[in-house]
Amino acid sequence: MKIDVSLPDGSVRSYDKGATAMDVAKSISEGLARNVLSAKVNGELRDANRPLPGNCTLALLTWNDPEGKATMWHSSAHLMAEAIEALYPGTKFGIGPPIENGFYYDIDLGERTIGEGDFAAIEAKMKELASKKLTFDRKEISKADAIKYFTEKGDEYKLELLDGLNDGEITFYSQGNFTDLCRGPHIPDTGSIKAAKVMSVAGAYWRGDEKRKQLTRLYGITFPKQKELEEYLVLLEEAKKRDHRKLGKELDLFTFSERVGAGLPLWLPKGASLRERLINFMKNAQEEAGYVQVATPHIGSKALYETSGHWEKYGKDSFQPISTPQEGELFMLKPMNCPHHCEIFASRPRSYKDLPLRLAEFGTVYRYEQSGELHGLARVRGFTQDDAHLFCRPDQVKEEFMKVIDLVLLVLRALNFESFEAQVSLRDEEDRSKYIGSDENWEKAEQAIIDAAAASGLKTVVEYGEAAFYGPKLDFMVKDALGRKWQLGTIQVDYNLPERFELEYVGSDNAKHRPVMIHRAPFGSLERFIAVIIEHTAGRFPLWLTPEQAAILPVSDKYVDACLRLAEKLKALGVRATVDERNEKVGRKIRDAELAKTPFMLVIGEKEAADGTVAVREHGQGDLGTMTTDAFAAMLEERIAVQLRPVPIGME
RNA sequence: GCCUUUGUAGCUCAGGGGUAGAGCACUUCCUUGGUAAGGAAGAGGUCCCGGGUUCAAUUCCCGGCAAAGGCUCCA
């Protein structure tokens, strides 16, 4: 008996019945066989050493495949569990899944506690066990036997997990002295794990339920090469250095004050100027795209949010209504701009000829985020959205949506985000109670997004349960310079709010029609966006955006006057530059300007003051030589033009 | 919101039941120095806030607030 195996390259190979994915790998090359971690058989993840079920499609997964990594880390969780069981007998185990960077295992150590000081011992034990090349053995087991095993072991967590499983679908995996309830798959043996590190320890509730016992969650990561672990640790160090909270302080961009309140950022002059430049950039782009600016207050009556549905949905978790001397009068801090914009649309009769109407506002909104969620600028309670609402006819939705996609891509290009993906965020497939509006409207909106994204040539991934409560979204996830993912811009199609606000326009048929709304914010929020660009650029902002483009450094205070005149001249030429008038040596001024990440330093001494030139030094590059002031300004202008040049849109 | 940890000068941090410490930053003076830290002197603190224990609390205990990490949540 032979079976046919179709490989991803399209080839079909024939094997004896009972062959495993590993056998297939060996038949291709020894090297591949060494690197195989798991396999995808007919689209299903399986152990590489399990016999293939018959004719099938097969993809061999290695460390280069995300699913291969996940298999390795899942197995590593088991390995860590074995190490923990060896070091701390009697430990009970919860769950131990792979995560984006590594894995964790939730454990119950009883009276014992574990701290960073214990990590080294666990790592050593893991490495010792890994080097034994222990195989992961899969075993199908009856529910009764499984219960018996964990009852004898006294592990109530596993028993609870078993409770939710059906007889006949239960499997155990064993390696060395450790046996775990597990669906698998696992790597062939622990020999692929060459480097292991326990990263951190934290508390986590059993099954994420705060009413239940808190277990100890141990995070770890493993690699097939020691060198990769070292590179990973370097990356973590780099991420720490780029932390926007740290850089925000060092670069004088923003601050927080206990007295003002948690999650309420205070923009310092440099940060505010940077923010202003982002706003102007977006205003210009929007003006070209036919938007009009509007402005609305920071509060609105409670009734407004009852109409929009926000009160019902988020009222109890929001900043509570503001009362006035008048009995029964209540106002809310606005959590979104859309209700205000709906009322602008409704302020007079609208014709189909007026559409699309694109109302834009840098609107500051306030949301009561849980205290534990606040995080620098990335998660705050008061923030400014580059918000706009497009009111259009149903037949305009697709084109308008595609234009918004172009705008988002323009923004990503201008800030050098090379890598990104678009996520179609749809309703939760099961629980629909979280959303307002009819199924019919939702389906129209979902289809509109999928169509527009496809027509724009965007590659998308679909996520269920990520929609806004009034409509589905297209969210842009960018990868920063360190490969970390951030959610930035969002575009949403909404058939529901126009209904709730009874918005209408008169069509060419002289009848009333309901417009469709598109909500969109390419930056998302300025706060979050700035947090991301700080970390993406490590504080070395693009020249057009950076608060200070050049530091003018007099060699001694004899040349301060010349420097001040130079600053005036540069200002007239559109260059942002300030003079370092301190009584310090030029070496010191250069050092401080370098640390402040100022892109250019202009050293002015006797020679430059006399002939009106500047000695230019570039951040991180060193001395560029002497040039005229005009030539320097022209160089800046040219560099900025290159940074902002529209690049033909090409997807990843 | 929950768990753990932390909170000392503008910043980074040491210390410790009995009158508060360093480096950097800041002020003044000296120095006028050409591409990553010139020198000296000085000023600067409600030791997060409130309560308790104690002869005595910045230190120990309790409660709050804030921050970090994690969990849950996110219009």
Side-chain angles (χ1 to χ4, degrees):
Chain A
M1 275 287 277
K2 290 278 187 184
I3 58 171
D4 289 334
V5 176
S6 314
L7 296 167
D9 65 0
S11 66
V12 177
R13 289 166 172 248
S14 187
Y15 294 91
D16 289 334
K17 191 166 186 300
T20 65
M22 190 52 86
D23 293 331
V24 175
K26 277 183 188 149
S27 77
I28 296 170
S29 87
E30 272 299 322
L32 178 61
R34 266 199 305 280
N35 288 321
V36 165
L37 297 172
S38 59
K40 207 169 198 180
V41 180
N42 292 330
E44 188 195 342
L45 274 181
R46 280 167 72 106
D47 300 308
N49 54 20
R50 265 179 87 185
L52 296 168
N55 293 342
C56 61
T57 62
L58 171 70
L60 296 165
L61 302 174
T62 68
W63 181 248
N64 294 322
D65 303 290
E67 287 160 315
K69 275 197 176 77
T71 306
M72 163 105 153
W73 283 334
H74 188 183
S75 301
S76 301
H78 283 229
L79 178 68
M80 184 170 77
E82 186 181 2
I84 289 166
E85 191 161 65
L87 293 168
Y88 314 103
T91 300
K92 296 170 191 171
F93 294 88
I95 56 167
I99 52 176
E100 198 175 342
N101 288 304
F103 55 89
Y104 66 79
Y105 218 119
D106 283 347
I107 59 177
D108 181 351
L109 290 150
E111 297 301 302
R112 207 176 282 117
T113 58
I114 220 165
E116 288 181 18
D118 305 305
F119 291 0
I122 300 171
E123 286 160 15
K125 193 78 193 172
M126 284 174 75
K127 278 182 237 172
E128 177 199 321
L129 293 168
S131 66
K132 292 183 182 170
K133 298 195 190 339
L134 304 168
T135 56
F136 284 85
D137 301 318
R138 181 177 187 276
K139 183 171 145 200
E140 289 170 14
I141 187 165
S142 71
K143 188 162 179 172
D145 286 348
I147 289 171
K148 184 160 170 266
Y149 177 83
F150 282 112
T151 305
E152 276 167 15
K153 200 178 170 192
D155 195 329
E156 66 258 32
Y157 304 103
K158 294 294 177 187
L159 286 169
E160 189 178 326
L161 292 174
L162 276 169
D163 210 30
L165 298 176
N166 297 321
D167 205 359
E169 61 182 34
I170 295 167
T171 50
F172 274 12
Y173 276 83
S174 306
Q175 95 274 3
N177 293 319
F178 183 75
T179 295
D180 203 356
L181 169 68
C182 186
R183 190 188 303 126
H186 281 283
I187 57 178
D189 68 71
T190 58
S192 340
I193 302 170
K194 294 283 199 284
K197 184 145 186 73
V198 179
M199 299 302 296
S200 63
V201 58
Y205 297 105
W206 172 231
R207 312 209 112 176
D209 183 344
E210 66 187 56
K211 289 181 191 65
R212 307 203 57 183
K213 183 158 185 185
Q214 182 148 30
L215 305 180
T216 301
R217 176 168 296 179
L218 220 45
Y219 288 88
I221 192 162
T222 54
F223 293 91
K225 285 181 190 153
Q226 181 64 27
K227 189 161 157 265
E228 288 191 53
L229 170 61
E230 282 156 20
E231 284 165 0
Y232 177 71
L233 295 176
V234 167
L235 189 75
L236 286 188
E237 277 305 305
E238 183 60 22
K240 229 184 212 171
K241 276 191 231 154
R242 287 169 177 244
D243 190 314
H244 75 275
R245 294 165 300 182
K246 180 169 143 47
L247 285 173
K249 195 177 267 179
E250 284 173 12
L251 301 178
D252 290 323
L253 299 176
F254 59 89
T255 187
F256 289 90
S257 151
E258 276 188 38
R259 221 179 283 188
V260 171
L264 301 171
L266 306 176
W267 290 96
L268 304 173
K270 283 183 180 174
S273 83
L274 185 147
R275 196 172 165 217
E276 203 63 27
R277 240 164 277 124
L278 281 174
I279 289 176
N280 288 334
F281 169 81
M282 184 60 72
K283 271 189 184 161
N284 289 337
Q286 287 178 170
E287 200 172 318
E288 279 189 26
Y291 290 65
V292 288
Q293 287 285 323
V294 295
T296 65
H298 289 230
I299 64 173
S301 85
K302 183 179 158 218
L304 178 69
Y305 300 102
E306 285 168 351
T307 303
S308 70
H310 289 100
W311 173 255
E312 193 200 342
K313 211 74 215 168
Y314 293 102
K316 62 178 187 308
D317 301 318
S318 300
F319 285 112
Q320 289 306 289
I322 304 160
S323 51
T324 71
Q326 197 71 39
E327 190 71 27
E329 207 177 39
L330 292 175
F331 292 88
M332 307 275 301
L333 281 169
K334 73 175 173 189
M336 291 193 82
N337 302 299
C338 32
H340 290 73
H341 291 182
C342 283
E343 287 303 297
I344 290 178
F345 181 90
S347 65
R348 66 166 200 202
R350 303 283 180 183
S351 156
Y352 73 97
K353 293 176 193 165
D354 301 332
L355 304 185
L357 180 66
R358 309 180 185 93
L359 304 181
E361 173 176 13
F362 291 86
T364 305
V365 297
Y366 302 90
R367 298 179 185 171
Y368 186 79
E369 302 290 353
Q370 295 187 53
S371 59
E373 267 318 308
L374 300 174
H375 181 87
L377 288 182
R379 197 72 182 275
V380 289
R381 286 177 171 163
F383 56 96
T384 301
Q385 296 177 307
D386 57 331
D387 210 0
H389 296 94
L390 286 58
F391 298 86
C392 55
R393 304 190 306 259
D395 63 289
Q396 294 171 320
V397 171
K398 186 168 161 188
E399 190 190 339
E400 281 304 304
F401 201 99
M402 288 172 66
K403 281 195 207 165
V404 176
I405 290 176
D406 286 347
L407 189 63
V408 173
L409 297 182
L410 176 77
V411 168
L412 298 183
R413 292 287 168 192
L415 276 307
N416 303 322
F417 290 107
E418 307 287 333
S419 173
F420 54 92
E421 67 182 26
Q423 172 182 308
V424 179
S425 300
L426 304 179
R427 279 178 298 177
D428 195 311
E429 281 179 303
E430 278 113 53
D431 182 9
R432 303 239 139 139
S433 65
K434 295 191 277 191
Y435 310 99
I436 59 171
S438 67
D439 278 347
E440 190 200 342
N441 278 348
W442 271 87
E443 277 151 29
K444 272 194 279 185
E446 290 176 353
Q447 202 51 50
I449 288 185
I450 291 165
D451 288 350
S456 295
L458 276 185
K459 243 191 216 165
T460 56
V461 294
V462 174
E463 284 290 333
Y464 292 93
E466 294 291 313
F469 76 93
Y470 49 77
K473 306 189 285 180
L474 184 68
D475 293 321
F476 286 81
M477 326 289 287
V478 304
K479 256 194 196 170
D480 72 11
L482 298 185
R484 297 167 302 172
K485 274 193 204 167
W486 301 81
Q487 192 200 313
L488 291 179
T490 176
I491 319 176
Q492 306 163 13
V493 178
D494 179 8
Y495 286 80
N496 290 315
L497 284 188
E499 214 161 279
R500 297 181 78 102
F501 279 88
E502 300 179 315
L503 303 182
E504 291 173 338
Y505 65 89
V506 178
S508 57
D509 56 358
N510 200 30
K512 305 252 170 143
H513 298 276
R514 184 128 292 157
V516 182
M517 265 174 97
I518 296 174
H519 308 239
R520 39 109 286 173
F523 291 150
S525 89
L526 285 167
E527 284 70 14
R528 188 178 168 76
F529 192 78
I530 290 172
V532 175
I533 55 179
I534 289 170
E535 305 208 358
H536 182 53
T537 63
R540 295 187 288 270
F541 302 112
L543 205 46
W544 66 272
L545 185 61
T546 199
E548 181 165 292
Q549 294 169 320
I552 303 173
L553 313 179
V555 168
S556 85
D557 55 15
K558 277 187 276 189
Y559 313 109
V560 166
D561 284 343
C563 286
L564 291 171
R565 283 196 299 277
L566 172 62
E568 282 304 311
K569 180 166 184 201
L570 285 172
K571 192 177 171 192
L573 291 167
V575 177
R576 297 186 292 278
T578 56
V579 182
D580 186 343
E581 297 184 51
R582 292 176 306 165
N583 178 8
E584 293 292 349
K585 291 192 179 182
V586 72
R588 177 54 183 274
K589 293 176 187 178
I590 285 169
R591 176 181 155 83
D592 288 345
E594 288 280 353
L595 290 175
K597 305 181 199 295
T598 309
F600 291 99
M601 285 143 273
L602 307 176
V603 178
I604 307 300
E606 189 178 357
K607 183 173 164 300
E608 293 79 11
D611 59 13
T613 58
V614 291
V616 182
R617 179 189 166 100
E618 184 173 0
H619 171 74
Q621 304 294 315
D623 200 345
L624 298 188
T626 301
M627 61 183 81
T628 65
T629 309
D630 289 326
F632 173 68
M635 180 178 81
L636 288 198
E637 204 173 327
E638 195 193 320
R639 291 206 187 190
I640 288 169
V642 169
Q643 286 175 357
L644 288 179
R645 188 169 53 205
V647 179
I649 283 134
M651 294 303 304
E652 299 306 305

